[in-house]
Amino acid sequence: LLDREELSPGERTYAHVRLERPSAALPGDRYVVRSYSPAVTIGGGSVLDPTPPRTRRTRAKLIEHLQVLEQGRPTERVERHLLASGFTPMTVEELRARCDLDGAAVSEAVRELVENGRAVQVGSKDGAGLLHAERVGGLETEVLGRLADFHAKEPLKDGLAKEELRSKLPGTLPPGTFAWMLGRLGAEAQIAVE
């Protein structure tokens, strides 16, 4: 239980449930919790986030996240999942499955987020994924900062090898996102990519 130690009959709360073995679940799926011996039903509920981020959060932040997933507008729910995905782009289909929304609602939410500058399309139109603009901005700052540090320490060298730069960035950065970011910064003439 996230906001208390004990739950009385008829009360509601958010809980982080850990299972003995892996299970398949989607947002909106219902579940029942039972004890082995004696066989008693303890409670039940519905799944809000079957694959929560592994990062540590304060209980207040986690409760806020779950409230948005349960009660938020489609745009807010899609944005939460984009933030949680970190540097891994999510497709519209992946967002649809994670948000328990129909395709039209997710497409409309994505359109709104992109138009408002809160999401960025990564890759070609056909295989495009989305990243939250906050993650893109943070990655851009990190890449430019690492390159500036390198050139300040090594002014006589032409540049930093791509893989060396990548090794200095977060370990969760997928190669495709790294390549996309270098291409973006090169197209904007902020860096020279060879």
Side-chain angles (χ1 to χ4, degrees), residues 13 17 23 32 40 42 66 95-96 98 100 118 124 135 174:
T13 192
V17 179
S23 176
V32 175
V40 175
I42 298 169
L66 294 173
L95 287 165
R96 189 194 64 71
R98 293 288 305 272
D100 190 31
R118 296 191 335 250
S124 65
R135 300 289 188 245

Side-chain angles (χ1 to χ4, degrees), residues 4 48 65 131 155 168 175 185:
R4 61 191 83 183
L48 294 175
H65 172 72
L131 288 174
K168 297 175 184 295
L185 293 173

